[in-house]
Amino acid sequence: MIKQLKSITVNVLAGANIAIVLLMLAVGFSHRFSPADWAVLGWAGLTFPFFLLLNLGFLVFWVMFHWRKAWIPLVGFFFVYAPVRIYMPVNQEKEVPDSCLKIISYNVCAYGGNFKYEDGFGAVYSFLEAQQADIVCLQEDVDSWRRYVVQRYQKIYPYNDTTVFIRSPHSFNAVGVHTRFPILRKERLPLPSKANGAVAYYLQLSPADTLLLLNVHLESNHLSSEDRAMYKALLKNGMKGEVKGDTVKAESRYLLGKLTDAARKRAPQAELLHDYIAAHSQYPLLVCGDFNDNPLSYSHYKVAEGLTDCFTESGRGFGWSYNQNGFFFRIDNILCSSHFEPLKCQVDSKIDFSDHYPMICWLKMRDKP
């Protein structure tokens, strides 16, 4: 009787593990389908770490109590290698020669100083001055003293430009490029958005090479400070078991609704960017920016299609670039065309002058065939 009960328990747990593996696979590859067609895909990628941890828990359990079933989680991990590498890459460190291009992408939160620095602009400026990067792409590169900021940036970068997407009493947003390369021209891309957008900059990389640089800020999730506080409280109190089931359902449905709506708006934006990139593939190309979405999202997948994700190729770990209210995700990106080889890419989590951390990458330009 005990033996039979043990066999039933093992089979039930094996079935549960198989179900987790299947869900992990579904979530891990959900980014290939548009949330405009499948609403749940708007936030499915956010749950990927949860299924990884569950599968890891099963692996530990099988190894300790019934090792013959360990093949189930191991097979699961094998088939999700690709999304795991996207979400949490592990790369060997490479030597970075001085000839590499150093690129920074940074959402500076309108120089708000992360609400704890009195001089937010001064902190960001000092950081960028010390970095001596070749190209800096900023999102939310806005302030109320534009002329003063331009004069300051001109002290460390000979070429500077900021494109404003919206300027109103309730919203102010822009992207900026600060670089040592001449800006030949720029083109604002017609992304369907009221407050976000993308700008294509053509930089004179050398007498023979024009670099196409896209500075991108995709649709925000439009979560208010109250929404973020709600999410943080759900996480905190949920872990303590202090949240009632009805409350969890109502508040979770509300938050997921906002995330889904934003993901649906980002889908056509990402598709437009992809089409523009494909139509200009003759140029050495970089895409920098805040995608407002996780690495296993349709927007990231679509923009990065045909390009190399520099963090996936040369970074390590999760690379969380957003740091507020428990939303720990890598939503900032640097992508490159095959003209470049990413040698090193990192998110500097020590620089807390914004609600984002800066992403820094070193790229080597490949020799022409």
Side-chain angles (χ1 to χ4, degrees):
M1 181 67 180
I2 295 177
K3 187 176 181 180
Q4 186 178 10
L5 183 60
K6 181 180 177 181
S7 178
I8 292 173
T9 302
V10 167
N11 289 334
V12 169
L13 290 173
N17 194 177
I18 291 171
I20 292 298
V21 167
L22 292 175
L23 287 170
M24 184 173 65
L25 283 167
V27 169
F29 291 95
S30 63
H31 58 289
R32 295 174 178 269
F33 303 94
S34 173
D37 301 319
W38 304 85
V40 69
L41 302 183
W43 49 266
L46 300 176
T47 66
F48 187 63
F50 172 73
F51 289 108
L52 284 178
L53 288 174
L54 282 178
N55 197 49
L56 179 61
F58 270 111
L59 178 59
V60 172
F61 174 82
W62 294 129
V63 169
M64 292 178 63
F65 298 104
H66 202 286
W67 65 268
R68 287 186 177 87
K69 296 294 185 182
W71 68 267
I72 300 174
L74 289 174
V75 167
F77 283 132
F78 174 80
F79 281 109
V80 295
Y81 171 77
V84 167
R85 176 162 170 71
I86 294 172
Y87 210 98
M88 187 183 63
V90 178
N91 294 290
Q92 186 176 4
E93 190 168 348
K94 298 179 181 178
E95 186 177 347
V96 178
D98 294 336
S99 59
C100 281
L101 286 175
K102 186 177 182 180
I103 315 295
I104 295 178
S105 184
Y106 191 13
N107 184 320
V108 295
C109 192
Y111 302 107
N114 205 6
F115 311 108
K116 63 180 181 180
Y117 289 90
E118 186 174 338
D119 182 11
F121 173 77
V124 172
Y125 178 87
S126 297
F127 163 71
L128 294 177
E129 184 179 29
Q131 288 296 310
Q132 297 184 336
D134 297 297
I135 299 172
V136 175
C137 289
L138 301 181
Q139 299 82 46
E140 297 190 31
D141 185 21
V142 296
D143 53 78
S144 57
W145 59 98
R146 183 78 252 156
R147 190 172 302 171
Y148 163 74
V149 168
V150 169
Q151 291 176 349
R152 289 288 299 276
Y153 274 131
Q154 285 174 343
K155 293 181 179 180
I156 54 176
Y157 290 106
Y159 305 100
N160 304 273
D161 183 85
T162 298
T163 300
V164 176
F165 297 138
I166 185 171
R167 188 196 302 266
S168 74
H170 307 291
S171 184
F172 191 12
N173 195 18
V175 296
V177 167
H178 309 281
T179 175
R180 68 180 182 87
F181 300 113
I183 301 173
L184 300 177
R185 63 186 178 93
K186 70 175 183 179
E187 178 181 359
R188 180 175 172 178
L189 305 189
L191 264 62
S193 177
K194 293 181 180 179
N196 295 77
V199 179
Y201 289 92
Y202 291 80
L203 307 184
Q204 189 68 62
L205 199 61
S206 72
D209 294 303
T210 298
L211 172 70
L212 175 53
L213 172 70
L214 272 65
N215 194 353
V216 176
H217 192 188
L218 296 185
E219 194 73 24
S220 168
N221 289 304
H222 302 293
L223 297 179
S224 65
S225 56
E226 291 79 10
D227 295 336
R228 300 178 193 277
M230 180 194 300
Y231 171 78
K232 191 172 183 179
L234 276 174
L235 287 181
K236 182 179 179 180
N237 297 327
M239 292 178 68
K240 294 180 179 179
E242 297 177 357
V243 184
K244 294 181 180 179
D246 292 342
T247 301
V248 171
K249 287 182 180 179
E251 294 184 352
S252 297
R253 189 180 296 114
Y254 170 77
L255 291 173
L256 291 177
K258 278 202 163 186
L259 293 176
T260 299
D261 184 58
R264 283 174 164 169
K265 291 179 179 179
R266 282 191 293 269
Q269 296 173 4
E271 290 164 357
L272 188 150
L273 285 171
H274 170 75
D275 292 343
Y276 186 89
I277 291 167
H280 296 79
S281 59
Q282 71 271 28
Y283 291 100
L285 186 142
L286 296 176
V287 180
C288 298
D290 174 7
F291 291 7
N292 271 312
D293 223 333
N294 72 91
L296 293 181
S297 63
Y298 178 76
S299 54
H300 179 277
Y301 167 74
K302 200 63 186 175
V303 177
E305 191 174 10
L307 301 176
T308 298
D309 184 316
C310 295
F311 190 86
T312 298
E313 187 67 23
S314 59
R316 293 181 176 184
F318 291 103
W320 290 326
S321 62
Y322 188 76
N323 58 52
Q324 293 293 300
N325 299 98
F327 285 88
F328 300 117
F329 303 107
R330 188 171 81 249
I331 64 176
D332 298 274
N333 299 274
I334 297 177
L335 314 173
C336 68
S337 64
S338 59
H339 300 81
F340 298 97
E341 177 188 359
L343 296 182
K344 182 179 179 181
C345 194
Q346 64 186 36
V347 173
D348 195 339
S349 58
K350 296 179 181 178
I351 304 302
D352 62 347
F353 309 142
S354 167
D355 54 356
H356 292 242
Y357 297 130
M359 177 171 282
I360 310 170
C361 290
W362 289 261
L363 308 176
K364 177 184 177 182
M365 196 162 188
R366 300 182 192 273
D367 294 333
K368 294 182 180 179

